[in-house]
Each structure stands twice: as C-alpha cells, then as structure tokens.
Amino acid sequence: MERRQFLKSSAAFAAASSLPLNSLFAQQTAERKFKLALNPGIIGVKSNLSETLDYAIKYGYEAISPYTSEVMKSYSDAKLNEHTAKMKEHGISYDSTNVPVDFRKDNTTFNNDFKDLEKFCKVMSKQGATRINTWIISSHDDLTYNENMKQHAYRLGECARVMKDYGIRFGLEYLGTRDLLTAMRYPFIASMKEGKELIGEIGQSNVGFVLDSFHWYTANDTLEDIKSLKPEDIITCDINDVRAGFERKEQTDGKRELPMATGIINIKEFMEGVIAIGYDGPLRTEPFNKELNDMENEAALETNMAAIKKTLATVGL
C-alpha cells in the first residue's frame, strides 16, 4: 500500500453554555468544517468504489477515496453518473488519492508516468474529485539536500501544474521519524518547516500538506506550527497515535496505532490547531496497524469510526 474556529468569542461561548446539553453539542458539532473520510485500504478493508460508498453510508463517513484507476477501467458514463448521484444524495464527497507518478526514480520512469497524469486528472475532474497526495522520503543515497530539493521541486511542480488545470490540489506529506532521516546517506525533509521550503520551491498555488499527527509528533512539531497554516495549506489530514514503550526518536513509520489508543500524541492539541485554522477538507486515520488490518471489514470499520469519534470528543465534537 503506497504510501488528513472552535469558539468564535467568549460571548458566544457564554451564550452557548446556558443552553441544554444536547443543544450545546449540536452547536459545537456545527463548528466542524472537515469531513470524516474513509480510505479502506489503510485500515485493512477490502472494497471497491461502490462498496466503499455503501460502507460510508452505513457507518457515517462523509468522504471516500475516489478509486480513479477503477473508474478509468470499468465505469461507463452512466455508471459514474449513478454513483455520483448516490454520493450527493447522502452528502458524501471525495477524499484524496495517491499520485500515479513515480517521481523518486530515474528520469525515464518519471517521464513515462508523467505522460499519463493528464488523463488521470481528467477522470478525477469528471468524478468531482479534487485532491491528490504523496509523501516525501526523508533521506537519499545519492542526492544531497540541495540536489534532492531541486529534483523534487521540478518533478512535483510539473505534476502540480497539470493538476491545477483540472482544479486538483496536491498534498505532500513530510515524514518525521528519525530512522527514515538517517536510513540513507543524505538527510532530506523531515519537518513542517522544511516542507514549507519545498512547497515554496515548487511555486504552485495548489500545493500544500498532508498533515499527519504521527509525523507532526515524531518531527517534534507544535500547535503553533499548525496555526501557522491557512486552511487551504492542508490538502488532507491524518490522525494516528504512536506505540507505547518507545521514545519519540524510536518510533517507526510502518507501526502505528489508531488515534487515542495510547494517548501519547496530544491529539487534543492537534485537533485544536486543525479546528482553529478552519480546515475544511477530509480527515482520516492511517494507522498501519496489523491488528486492525487483520479484522473483518465490518469490525475494522466500526473500530476505526469509534477511534475517530473518541478523538472528536477531546475537542467537544
């Protein structure tokens, strides 16, 4: 699997606090702008696009993965229109999907994949999907930091330029774990501040972050870092927890927990930052967790949504 304003004023809060509990809860919930997203593969659920939509409706998710490659291969216009109408009926939008271009290898690989990106974006646009994401490997065996920056800025910038023509935004995820930073000879981007530098070098207005609580924590980023962003700077948002029994620097990317599982990550603070800036895109889990992946589909969906609701409860949602 390749690699998501709470209170307006003290006066408004005082007025709300005098209301009955159920009314107050409804008002707080209305402040949430982001959408609870279902990306089945990252929680071990096996389903196609149609099945994913049915799961979202059943379990209360508000956004789903676009499955664009599946749509390209097997959806007629009539079938896509029927699917789109069902999404609209239930108020469900699209989450993000992985970029279909391998930008990390040699020039030939990049150029061959890049030629097909416009066709992919056309289909995404037809679906009504507007977000693509990827992650940045935080070290390299051959390229120095500056050389890697130039290569990433050029290749990702070319991808972003094509996406922009179809109204698609491009999210980049920095990886904050220390093991990946030292895995190869030359360290690269591993924090939000460095991610901002890459986005600046790319120079396209449709590029932002995949903001992940796991990497926010392992990079030792802060609430103020999140508050430095505008809502449009986040393309999609992931919420996760880390394993107990390991220091921050010992955490590894492929082994995580659902949010609130251990309570080591200050998810309340993370969510307060996301809410404070008015983020309005998809929010999902990405735990890479064997126990969750081994569950049957229905159990995994229930467990995942329970963890999301527990997370929302920390900020009164």
Side-chain angles (χ1 to χ4, degrees):
M1 176 64 56
E2 280 199 327
R3 297 244 355 61
R4 132 136 171 126
Q5 292 174 336
F6 178 53
L7 296 174
K8 292 185 176 179
S9 67
S10 57
F13 175 74
S17 63
S18 65
L19 296 171
L21 182 59
N22 61 344
S23 179
L24 176 58
F25 180 81
Q27 285 204 359
Q28 290 175 330
T29 303
E31 293 292 328
R32 173 168 69 82
K33 296 181 179 179
F34 55 81
K35 307 295 183 183
L36 308 184
L38 173 60
N39 185 329
I42 57 179
I43 60 170
V45 171
K46 299 174 178 63
S47 59
N48 59 27
L49 178 58
S50 177
E51 292 166 339
T52 298
L53 177 55
D54 287 339
Y55 281 141
I57 294 167
K58 181 175 180 179
Y59 290 99
Y61 293 92
E62 301 159 340
I64 59 173
S65 301
Y67 284 77
T68 301
S69 294
E70 179 189 339
V71 172
M72 292 172 73
K73 293 175 184 176
S74 59
Y75 269 63
S76 64
D77 286 349
K79 186 176 180 180
L80 181 57
N81 289 339
E82 182 181 350
H83 173 82
T84 301
K86 188 173 180 179
M87 287 183 66
K88 289 180 178 178
E89 178 186 352
H90 293 277
I92 294 175
S93 58
Y94 280 117
D95 185 14
S96 186
T97 190
N98 288 319
V99 66
V101 178
D102 190 339
F103 59 89
R104 302 180 183 94
K105 294 180 181 177
D106 58 275
N107 286 333
T108 300
T109 300
F110 170 73
N111 289 330
N112 286 340
D113 283 357
F114 180 73
K115 287 186 295 187
D116 295 325
L117 179 60
E118 184 169 12
K119 181 180 178 182
F120 188 89
C121 290
K122 282 182 180 179
V123 177
M124 281 198 70
S125 179
K126 192 174 183 179
Q127 290 177 260
T130 61
R131 299 167 195 262
I132 289 178
N133 60 266
T134 192
W135 66 92
I136 309 301
I137 297 176
S138 42
S139 60
H140 200 283
D141 269 335
D142 302 314
L143 301 179
T144 65
Y145 189 97
N146 288 338
E147 290 169 339
N148 211 3
M149 177 69 79
K150 289 177 182 177
Q151 179 168 289
H152 273 77
Y154 170 72
R155 291 180 176 182
L156 297 178
E158 288 296 286
C159 292
R161 178 180 53 78
V162 173
M163 294 175 195
K164 185 188 290 186
D165 289 341
Y166 295 91
I168 297 170
R169 298 164 62 196
F170 193 15
L172 312 180
E173 182 176 15
Y174 63 90
L175 308 183
T177 56
R178 301 301 93 179
D179 63 326
L180 292 175
L181 188 63
T182 59
M184 291 179 275
R185 184 177 182 186
Y186 299 107
F188 193 44
I189 289 167
S191 67
M192 186 185 295
K193 186 174 182 180
E194 292 169 306
K196 286 182 177 180
E197 292 173 353
L198 173 57
I199 291 169
E201 288 295 318
I202 290 171
Q204 296 288 345
S205 61
N206 60 326
V207 181
F209 284 106
V210 175
L211 181 63
D212 187 325
S213 64
F214 178 89
H215 291 297
W216 172 79
Y217 168 82
T218 56
N220 207 18
D221 284 336
T222 67
L223 173 61
E224 292 309 310
D225 287 314
I226 298 175
K227 287 184 175 181
S228 73
L229 302 174
K230 299 185 293 295
E232 59 268 25
D233 291 332
I234 305 176
I235 309 305
T236 192
C237 185
D238 297 334
I239 49 173
N240 304 290
D241 210 341
V242 294
R243 294 177 296 161
F246 297 87
E247 295 183 16
R248 188 193 307 264
K249 65 183 179 181
E250 296 174 322
Q251 300 290 343
T252 56
D253 187 37
K255 297 179 180 179
R256 314 181 190 178
E257 300 286 350
L258 283 167
M260 302 290 293
T262 63
I264 295 173
I265 291 179
N266 190 340
I267 198 68
K268 180 177 186 292
E269 186 174 77
F270 181 87
M271 294 301 299
E272 285 172 344
V274 169
I275 293 168
I277 67 171
Y279 171 63
D280 61 358
L283 180 139
R284 63 197 182 187
T285 67
E286 191 188 33
F288 296 128
N289 183 273
K290 185 179 186 303
E291 182 180 355
L292 183 67
N293 290 346
D294 287 344
M295 292 180 184
E296 295 297 324
N297 283 359
E298 302 279 349
L301 289 158
E302 289 177 354
T303 301
N304 189 61
M305 179 54 79
I308 293 173
K309 288 181 177 179
K310 191 175 180 180
T311 300
L312 297 183
T314 66
V315 287
L317 296 177

